[in-house]
Amino acid sequence: MRVFKFGGASVKDAEGVQNLIKVLQKVGHADTIIIVSAMGKMTNALEAVVENYLNKNSEFGDSLELIKTYHFRILEDLFNNIQHPVFEKVTSLISDLETMLKRNKSARYDYVYDQTVSYGELISTTIVSEYLSEKGYANTLLDARDVIKTNDHYRDATVDWEKTQQLIGNKAIKKGLTITQGFIGSDSNNFTTTLGREGSDYTAGIFAYCTNATSVTIWKDVPGVLNGDPRVFQNTELLSQISYEEAIELAFYGASVIHPKTLQPLQRKEIPLFVKSFVNPKNEGTSVRKGQSLVPHMPCFIVKKNQILLSLSSLDFSFIVEENISEIFSLFHQYHLKVDLIQNSAISFSVCLDDKFHNFDQLLVHLKAKFRVRYEKNVSLFTIRHFTSNAIEFLEDNMDILLKQSTKETYQMVAKQ
Ligand code: ADP
Ligand code: ASP
Ligand code: MG
């Protein structure tokens, strides 16, 4: 079995879906599980539906209409025959979504979010599966929620590996071509859950682990993993081979080309991960596998935007000791703030935080009761793996630096955006 993942950018329009077939023609499609994300920016568009719905905004209807028109445009471009059953299937998914929202009584944002946003993947996989069938590629459409079981931590669900392994092993994967959704799963009450934004890569890792796949390929709009995000840095270069450990480090520091959770299941079974271009599928791209840490060996630049730099000191200038630190961390955990960098001295403690769930202001109330608190929002965290003095000089040029830190292999700096 091989696992392929096509992200939102690769299926953002009809041409993208047609290109997916071209990729399969070039690289083969026997015994392949294809994980597909929501088309284009549909997850963001569905997030807007959730906001409008819960806040009872007048834009609610328009935001839902946008989801319909986006997908119908793609359908019309792909299928000449308006009688094709796919039109009915997508219409019925959208009316399921409308009915679900009408009947819903919960005001819990995270729960409503997962029940809604998952439609992006449900619709995209329906379209891709029908289009493949239409073009003669027999395939099975699998509902990922029937096999990926999680806890009920909506928007950031944790996989129940035992149940998932059992379900995938038992029934899910037939020989041939299987299409399924990235990003989504279900809890023990069969409510839909999601694995965190950009979680489709992780789904690919889960399926690969549970089927003992020979490889995973994620198809991207870039030639592979580069030594920096090409949207941010100029003259980036392709990394041809990366070890699992190094890739985990790069993803952890924020190289958004691979979702950080994807690598661990692959590493455990030494399943190679390829990151390749969906435009030039025959090109080598990057392979993540056991072996040399980084080929070619060079500095890698990573930036994480919209972070918060928080500094705490004790109200009476006493030391910040283990007890305080453990209390601070349990608050971070409680409010789901991710800690990206830590620096502490005798009387102060600084961290760079990622507030994915917008809980920082609630956290502040607790912290202010016990500590002197300073913070700066909207800062960027820059990381250079395998830094050189030239690389640091290049990065620091024209930056308003708030904090820096380096270890043997990793240089980090927090700067104003
Ligand atoms: P997907 O369509 O699979 O969701 P993403 O948009 O999430 O794809 O990821 C691809 C993008 O990741 C690229 O267009 C690129 O801008 C960005 N990116 C960030 N860091 C890197 C990196 N180190 N190498 C390549 N691309 C990167
Ligand atoms: N569609 C989801 C997102 O945009 C998952 C993914 O694309 O990986 O976050
Ligand atoms: Mg993505």
Side-chain angles (χ1 to χ4, degrees):
M1 218 21 105
R2 286 180 311 179
V3 177
F4 285 178
K5 180 250 168 173
F6 286 89
S10 68
V11 290
K12 69 177 193 302
D13 50 22
E15 215 179 294
V17 180
Q18 286 155 343
N19 184 63
L20 183 153
I21 293 198
K22 283 193 203 145
V23 172
L24 297 185
Q25 283 165 345
K26 288 190 182 141
V27 303
H29 51 87
D31 300 340
T32 306
I33 305 168
I34 302 185
I35 316 289
V36 186
S37 304
M39 295 175 147
K41 300 274 179 229
M42 279 297 104
T43 305
N44 293 1
L46 283 155
E47 283 184 344
V49 171
V50 178
E51 296 293 335
N52 290 329
Y53 169 77
L54 288 175
N55 297 325
K56 302 193 169 49
N57 294 342
S58 58
E59 294 89 351
F60 171 68
D62 286 349
S63 57
L64 198 58
E65 195 57 33
L66 191 138
I67 308 291
K68 286 187 209 171
T69 47
Y70 188 92
H71 290 109
F72 271 87
R73 167 114 204 240
I74 295 180
L75 282 178
E76 281 155 20
D77 289 345
L78 287 174
F79 297 88
N80 299 325
N81 175 11
I82 188 102
Q83 303 299 326
H84 193 287
V86 69
F87 287 91
E88 187 53 44
K89 288 187 180 176
V90 173
T91 304
S92 125
L93 281 168
I94 291 170
S95 73
D96 287 353
L97 168 61
E98 284 170 323
T99 311
M100 183 278 293
L101 289 174
K102 259 187 212 133
R103 291 194 183 148
N104 169 61
K105 301 229 164 19
S106 170
R108 279 174 63 201
Y109 179 82
D110 293 353
Y111 167 81
V112 176
Y113 180 102
D114 282 4
Q115 310 319 304
T116 306
V117 162
S118 48
Y119 276 87
E121 271 69 13
L122 294 171
I123 298 173
S124 70
T125 45
T126 300
I127 297 176
V128 169
S129 164
E130 291 287 333
Y131 188 68
L132 282 166
S133 303
E134 173 79 7
K135 293 290 165 191
Y137 294 82
N139 68 87
T140 310
L141 177 59
L142 168 73
D143 190 327
R145 297 171 299 178
D146 291 342
V147 291
I148 307 247
K149 297 307 286 186
T150 70
N151 66 4
D152 61 0
H153 189 168
Y154 300 110
R155 282 182 74 205
D156 194 19
T158 300
V159 172
D160 181 333
W161 281 95
E162 206 174 312
K163 280 193 197 146
T164 302
Q165 168 80 76
Q166 211 176 19
L167 286 166
I168 291 184
N170 275 355
K171 62 170 179 185
I173 308 303
K174 306 197 174 63
K175 282 203 157 301
L177 198 53
T178 302
I179 312 298
T180 194
Q181 303 82 23
F183 180 53
I184 69 174
S186 68
D187 65 14
S188 57
N189 291 317
N190 289 331
F191 287 116
T192 305
T193 55
T194 64
L195 306 174
R197 285 301 308 263
E198 304 296 330
S200 297
D201 293 353
Y202 183 37
T203 305
I206 298 167
F207 271 97
Y209 182 89
C210 294
T211 58
N212 293 318
T214 48
S215 66
V216 173
T217 307
I218 49 184
W219 298 98
K220 292 276 176 182
D221 60 355
V222 280
V225 182
L226 306 164
N227 74 326
D229 184 341
R231 288 171 302 189
V232 182
F233 301 100
Q234 289 174 346
N235 308 322
T236 50
E237 289 179 61
L238 179 67
L239 304 169
S240 67
Q241 194 184 321
I242 313 176
S243 67
Y244 294 109
E245 292 78 6
E246 182 61 30
I248 288 170
E249 295 282 351
L250 293 173
F252 172 80
Y253 289 118
S256 61
V257 67
I258 308 173
H259 187 279
K261 284 187 186 163
T262 313
L263 292 149
Q264 199 224 1
L266 301 181
Q267 178 186 33
R268 278 166 65 192
K269 291 200 173 169
E270 294 186 7
I271 300 168
L273 168 72
F274 301 105
V275 182
K276 291 186 184 223
S277 156
F278 60 69
V279 186
N280 298 302
K282 284 290 205 186
N283 288 4
E284 286 285 308
T286 303
S287 69
V288 179
R289 54 170 73 236
K290 198 175 166 199
Q292 278 175 278
S293 98
L294 195 62
V295 184
H297 202 276
M298 63 172 93
C300 296
F301 296 84
I302 303 154
V303 57
K304 261 186 145 174
K305 293 189 174 158
N306 302 322
Q307 306 293 295
I308 302 169
L309 181 63
L310 169 73
S311 298
L312 303 173
S313 44
S314 45
L315 291 168
D316 58 359
F317 288 99
S318 62
F319 293 157
I320 295 256
V321 292
E322 288 76 4
E323 194 192 331
N324 310 108
I325 293 177
S326 101
E327 189 187 347
I328 296 166
F329 269 83
S330 80
L331 284 169
F332 292 158
H333 179 68
Q334 190 183 330
Y335 287 102
H336 306 298
L337 280 125
K338 190 169 166 287
V339 177
D340 286 322
L341 175 150
I342 307 167
Q343 198 168 71
N344 74 319
S345 72
I347 53 162
S348 96
F349 178 78
S350 299
V351 280
C352 190
L353 295 168
D354 191 350
D355 183 23
K356 268 201 286 192
F357 296 93
H358 310 292
N359 289 333
F360 183 72
D361 294 337
Q362 276 171 274
L363 169 79
L364 265 186
V365 177
H366 291 273
L367 293 176
K368 279 185 172 162
K370 294 212 161 176
F371 302 97
R372 190 188 306 272
V373 181
R374 280 180 299 131
Y375 64 90
E376 175 115 15
K377 289 187 175 177
N378 297 321
V379 299
S380 292
L381 171 65
F382 292 87
T383 303
I384 315 176
R385 286 282 293 165
H386 314 290
F387 62 90
T388 59
S389 48
N390 276 350
I392 295 176
E393 212 172 291
F394 163 78
L395 190 66
E396 287 186 348
D397 194 29
N398 282 326
M399 289 282 183
D400 191 349
I401 303 169
L402 301 167
L403 185 153
K404 351 179 176 179
Q405 173 166 296
S406 67
T407 58
K408 192 162 163 271
E409 289 293 355
T410 311
Y411 168 87
Q412 292 192 289
M413 163 185 102
V414 178
K416 289 194 180 164
Q417 248 159 230

